[in-house]
Amino acid sequence: MPYPYVLLSAAVSLDGYLDDTGPDRLLLSGPADFDRVDEVRASVDAILVGAGTIRADNPRLLVNSPARRAARVAAGKPEYPLKVAVSGTGELDPAALFWHTGGEKVLLATDAGADRARALGLAADVVALGPGLDWRRLLEHLHDVRGVRRLMVEGGGTIHTQLLQEGLADELQLVLAPLFVGDPDAPRLFGPGGYQGGRLRLTGTRRIEDVVLMTYEPTAPGTGPLPSAADRHWLALACELAAACPPSRTAFSVGAVVVAADGTELARGHSREAGDPVVHAEEAALAGIDRADPRLAGATVYSSLEPCARRSSRPAPCARLILDAGVRRVVTAWREPDTFVTDADGSGLLAAAGADVVVLPEYEERAKAPNDHLLRRTT
């Protein structure tokens, strides 16, 4: 199920704190960075915070620039992004600024929390999502029901932690402020718990007055049948590789990437690589890895097209090559049509052998694009 693009935004002290324990909010950055945050808010469909942030900071979460609001309206968007609050208990102050500023508001809560919020008369659309807070269900609701494609998460630390732990964050924008808090009772950005492994990839740095903005994206694949945000990154790369294939009238253009559990790229390949007219993408990628590499057992293969289950050009189809390499997780965008092979079911072959197959249909059109000339023949 598609989710919005999830962007985590936070500012911390040099020792990793979001705030101190004083009565007033600790301002970690200055006017130039506040304006940058305003620009990011203007670019998204929704801004999300937890109930704790509303209680502690009483935020308005507005786009403050009239020019940016006007640009949103000119583009056919609401003047303000949707404001989303998340609560387990529904115990929120009906007078908080969050409910009485900006545009549309929604509270996503547990069943019990929704009942309490409605009893309090919160000025928002209150939606019950079940007995507990399920982040995947919450993101599906925002995507499918609210039309949110780009979501900015501004806090607090518990929510940032949970989204990273579940592999649902696509990007982290972290501002580092040149000061220390040093109070163990102060709130920290990230809490304890098991995070989906792997180093984050640094994609950019920027000095803004006396603070530094660092932008990261996750690299670790998901686990089992549940997709992670990093799965989307690697599958998008596989689709880019498919577009680089030498054109053919008799075979699909496919890209593939093999990624270890810690987010390390082990190999990549594409159809007809290195002048071989019949090599398949997964075959080309796996050929670049030592079969004794212990990382293969926990790796994920990303392929823009479902790995083949039958082929005439080689003794073993790609689904069998993947299994023989010890890989037990495959992420793909598109099931193989009957253009060249009837009743193709690489996913079935993989699943029957105990592999997890994840299909991300939102990438199907990207995967099909380099093969449009072949697909037109079948319509």
Side-chain angles (χ1 to χ4, degrees), residues 58-60 62 83 93-103 105 121-124:
N58 196 21
R60 297 183 305 155
L62 303 178
K83 296 201 299 187
D93 183 0
L97 294 174
F98 181 93
W99 315 112
H100 302 286
T101 56
K105 276 79 66 175
L122 297 183

Side-chain angles (χ1 to χ4, degrees), residues 130-306:
L133 286 177
D134 182 327
W135 280 105
R136 294 177 186 275
R137 184 175 179 186
L138 186 150
L139 292 176
E140 287 175 7
H141 173 86
L142 290 177
H143 183 280
D144 296 345
V145 179
R146 306 286 167 169
V148 175
R149 297 297 179 265
R150 190 171 178 86
L151 174 68
M152 181 181 187
V153 180
E154 293 204 33
T158 299
I159 286 179
H160 284 106
T161 297
Q162 290 174 351
L163 288 168
L164 278 173
Q165 286 176 337
E166 296 194 30
L168 296 173
D170 293 275
E171 180 180 343
L172 169 63
Q173 293 186 0
L174 181 64
V175 166
L176 190 62
L179 54 85
F180 295 94
V181 172
D183 186 341
D185 294 327
R188 301 185 70 92
L189 175 56
F190 298 120
Y195 291 85
Q196 292 209 5
R199 298 169 68 92
L200 300 181
R201 179 185 297 106
L202 179 67
T203 60
T205 59
R206 176 181 163 194
R207 178 178 176 177
I208 306 172
E209 294 176 334
D210 67 343
V211 304
V212 177
L213 168 66
M214 297 170 290
T215 304
Y216 295 92
E217 63 181 21
T219 62
T223 56
L226 298 177
S228 72
D231 285 337
R232 294 188 280 189
H233 165 82
W234 293 115
L235 188 57
L237 175 57
C239 292
E240 291 176 13
L241 292 170
C245 295
S248 172
R249 302 293 302 181
T250 58
F252 289 115
S253 292
V254 182
V257 189
V258 185
V259 182
D262 67 356
T264 301
E265 180 182 329
L266 300 180
R268 61 176 68 183
H270 60 75
S271 304
R272 300 175 292 283
E273 187 172 302
D276 185 336
V278 297
V279 71
H280 286 194
E282 303 92 332
E283 177 186 15
L286 290 169
I289 308 172
D290 183 347
R291 291 300 177 91
D293 191 326
R295 295 174 295 179
L296 277 170
T300 296
V301 169
Y302 297 88
S303 180
S304 60
L305 176 65
E306 173 187 39

Side-chain angles (χ1 to χ4, degrees), residues 337-340 373-379:
D338 292 340
T339 308
F340 301 114
H373 62 293
L374 298 172
L375 301 176
R376 287 198 302 266
R377 289 166 36 185
T378 64
T379 58

